[in-house]
């Protein structure tokens, strides 16, 4: 177990099959970034990377085609909120997703800044049982 833990801490993804012909399962997928569960757990980082890609792909078509107006910002807001709804209800990508800010940058006035707050879905990596007598 110690060697498996050491390998996992180095970024190895262990696939386990306890009996021949039995089910295959993945032992804790760990990234080399061990500072927090959000950076350490591969399923969380993968989900957040996927969601970021969804935002970029969905909003890319608006770049260079429109002037930044209240109507444009409203349209971007609706699209961003739709992505959040999909990620929570349809895709089960994250537990919560909320558009917290969508504004025109005051320094780089050709830039729209969008902030999204998310709560990842956490995997069950451990089960702790306490017996009380």
């Amino acid at each position: 177990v110690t060697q498996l833990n050491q390998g996992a801490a180095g970024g190895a993804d262990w696939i386990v099959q306890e009996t021949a012909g039995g089910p295959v399962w993945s032992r804790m997928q760990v990234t080399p970034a061990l500072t927090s569960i959000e950076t350490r757990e591969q399923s969380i980082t993968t989900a957040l990377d996927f969601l970021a890609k969804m935002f970029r792909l969905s909003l890319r078509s608006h770049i260079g085609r429109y002037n930044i107006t209240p109507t444009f910002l409203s349209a971007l807001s609706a699209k961003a909120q739709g992505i959040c709804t999909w990620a929570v209800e349809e895709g089960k990508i994250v537990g919560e997703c909320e558009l917290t800010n969508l504004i025109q940058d005051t320094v780089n006035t050709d830039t729209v800044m969008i902030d999204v707050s998310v709560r990842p879905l956490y995997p069950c990596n451990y089960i702790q049982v306490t017996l009380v007598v």
Side-chain angles (χ1 to χ4, degrees):
V1 174
T2 301
Q3 290 174 337
L4 290 175
N5 289 343
Q6 207 169 22
D13 182 11
W14 299 108
I15 305 297
V16 180
Q17 184 177 32
E18 294 176 342
T19 59
V24 175
W25 54 277
S26 177
R27 184 183 180 275
M28 262 176 78
Q29 301 173 6
V30 182
T31 71
L34 303 176
T35 55
S36 71
I37 182 113
E38 289 81 10
T39 59
R40 178 177 66 231
E41 180 61 45
Q42 186 178 6
S43 65
I44 293 174
T45 59
T46 300
L48 294 177
D49 287 347
F50 178 77
L51 184 58
K53 183 176 274 191
M54 288 300 300
F55 272 99
R56 286 192 304 272
L57 289 173
S58 298
L59 301 175
R60 183 184 314 174
S61 63
H62 297 284
I63 295 173
R65 296 181 63 196
Y66 302 97
N67 291 322
I68 300 174
T69 64
T71 303
F72 174 71
L73 293 176
S74 179
L76 279 182
S77 176
K79 196 163 199 176
Q81 288 172 352
I83 296 167
C84 277
T85 300
W86 173 84
V88 174
E89 294 177 3
E90 301 295 327
K92 299 298 183 197
I93 306 302
V94 291
E96 293 176 8
C97 182
E98 179 185 357
L99 178 65
T100 56
N101 199 18
L102 191 146
I103 59 168
Q104 181 177 11
D105 190 343
T106 57
V107 176
N108 300 306
T109 52
D110 63 342
T111 302
V112 174
M113 299 188 309
I114 301 175
D115 296 329
V116 179
S117 176
V118 298
R119 181 184 55 80
L121 295 170
Y122 293 93
C124 178
N125 288 327
Y126 304 99
I127 297 176
Q128 182 176 337
V129 177
T130 304
L131 301 175
V132 178
V133 180

